[in-house]
Amino acid sequence: MALVKLGDFYPDYREEHSDIDDIKNFDVYAQGDNKVGSVYDILVDEQTGKFRYFIVDTGFWVFGKKVLLPVGLGNIDYGARRIFVNGLSKEQVESLPNYDTLEKVDFDYEEQVRGAYRPIAATSAATATTATAATSDLTQPTYDRNTYNYDHEPSLYNLNDSNDSEGQTLKLYEERLIADKQRRKTGEVTIGKHVETETARVAVPVEKERVVIERTTPTNATAVNPGEANFREGEVARVELYEETPDIRKEAVVREEVRVKKVVEHETAEATETIRREELDVDAQGRPIVDKQG
């Protein structure tokens, strides 16, 4: 059962399955919340395409060492970007064979790795089952290189974040445009009034009365005797004179009315954006497959 690195089996996994690429950066934690290291790469079964091991770079925990972790023992927390391994201790990590190249990963090498992890898997099985079932699980069978199959040890090789009946899960994502709108203030109009002054001129016709004295010499005057002449000293004639004076005043009148209101104009805003979608690439290597869509 040959193993290959993830990038060799899925050359385009970074573009099509970003969630898998993220796992390669997850931190690995053991019991007591001790950080073991981080996921360096993933080994895939060349025949089935299933994940078998996380390659863990132990960093400073066990300085300068890379080890294999069966995927079934890791509890993946995507939110925390962590992989938890219950029951794993520093001594067990130190006892694991160092991972250098794929050429060294044969049946004997994997048996060394499985031998270090089987007590953890057995303890987990004992916790999850009844006492009777736990006793039988703790009795490890003997495996042969010619008959061994990864399905014999699901506690080591079944991913904890996928359903056993459905196999391993790849999340396919696509982008979509969300049309929404926000109300924002674009400006403000202030309307007020001020007073302007100017000089106005008006013309009002007025009348004034004056006295005009006309004197005439009669041409046909008849002479009278001095005794008949009626001389009256002190006789006075009175004439009343009137004139008009302008009466100019100011009054305020409404010149015009100004009403202020708002109207709503409707228009359609369009936007163009490039969106991406992940599609599944299946390399069946000539074998028939059934594609079921939900």
Side-chain angles (χ1 to χ4, degrees), residues 224-231:
V224 296
N225 293 323
E228 296 177 356
N230 186 12
F231 290 97

Side-chain angles (χ1 to χ4, degrees), residues 8-294:
D8 296 330
F9 192 86
Y10 295 107
D12 300 325
Y13 76 95
R14 287 185 176 87
E15 299 178 359
E16 300 175 1
H17 309 295
S18 57
D19 58 326
I20 299 177
D21 192 39
D22 284 343
I23 294 178
K24 290 180 60 175
N25 300 314
F26 282 18
D27 293 328
V28 180
Y29 280 78
Q31 64 183 12
D33 203 28
N34 293 315
K35 183 178 178 180
V36 177
S38 58
V39 177
Y40 176 77
D41 211 331
I42 302 174
L43 296 186
V44 181
D45 190 330
E46 189 177 32
Q47 294 182 354
T48 64
K50 291 187 176 182
F51 302 161
R52 296 307 184 191
Y53 296 99
F54 297 119
I55 302 175
V56 180
D57 187 344
T58 58
F60 293 101
W61 208 50
V62 181
F63 185 75
K65 188 174 185 179
K66 292 185 178 67
V67 297
L68 297 185
L69 170 67
V71 296
L73 295 178
N75 297 300
I76 303 175
D77 187 340
Y78 288 94
R81 298 178 62 83
R82 291 184 177 185
I83 298 177
F84 296 92
V85 185
N86 295 326
L88 181 63
S89 64
K90 185 174 183 179
E91 290 74 17
Q92 288 170 314
V93 175
E94 291 175 339
S95 67
L96 285 168
N98 190 36
Y99 171 81
D100 294 316
T101 61
L102 277 172
E103 284 72 16
K104 294 183 179 181
V105 183
D106 54 11
F107 178 81
D108 293 333
Y109 180 92
E110 287 190 80
E111 273 298 297
Q112 294 182 54
V113 173
R114 287 190 283 263
Y117 287 114
R118 278 171 181 149
I120 301 176
T123 303
S124 300
T127 304
T129 58
T130 61
T132 303
T135 303
S136 61
D137 288 337
L138 291 173
T139 303
Q140 298 294 339
T142 302
Y143 297 103
D144 181 79
R145 70 173 60 246
N146 297 320
T147 60
Y148 182 82
N149 191 296
Y150 290 114
D151 294 335
H152 294 161
E153 297 182 278
S155 59
L156 291 179
Y157 296 108
N158 280 357
L159 279 174
N160 288 327
D161 64 343
S162 62
N163 188 295
D164 292 342
S165 63
E166 297 178 356
Q168 296 172 350
T169 301
L170 297 180
K171 300 177 182 178
L172 302 182
Y173 293 90
E174 69 176 4
E175 296 175 328
R176 61 180 180 178
L177 293 180
I178 304 299
D180 201 354
K181 56 184 180 180
Q182 296 180 344
R183 184 179 179 89
R184 62 184 181 90
K185 182 178 179 180
T186 58
E188 182 177 301
V189 177
T190 302
I191 299 177
K193 61 181 182 179
H194 67 280
V195 177
E196 293 185 356
T197 61
E198 63 180 8
T199 301
R201 297 180 182 276
V202 294
V204 180
V206 296
E207 294 181 352
K208 292 184 178 181
E209 295 178 343
R210 63 179 180 172
V211 176
V212 178
I213 300 175
E214 296 179 355
R215 297 183 180 185
T216 61
T217 300
T219 59
N220 55 353
T222 303
V224 296
N225 293 323
E228 296 177 356
N230 186 12
F231 290 97
R232 297 181 180 178
E233 185 177 357
E235 185 175 359
V236 179
R238 287 184 173 84
V239 178
E240 293 182 351
L241 301 178
Y242 292 90
E243 69 175 14
E244 296 176 336
T245 58
D247 183 9
I248 300 175
R249 64 184 184 277
K250 296 187 293 185
E251 62 179 4
V253 296
V254 177
R255 179 168 60 90
E256 64 176 326
E257 291 183 354
V258 178
R259 291 187 177 88
V260 180
K261 63 179 181 180
K262 297 190 297 184
V263 296
V264 178
E265 296 182 352
H266 298 276
E267 63 180 18
T268 300
E270 295 183 356
T272 302
E273 186 61 60
T274 300
I275 60 177
R276 299 175 296 172
R277 182 176 62 187
E278 296 179 338
E279 295 289 350
L280 186 64
D281 292 332
V282 180
D283 183 4
Q285 299 181 352
R287 291 186 293 274
I289 62 171
V290 178
D291 188 2
K292 295 183 179 180
Q293 296 184 354

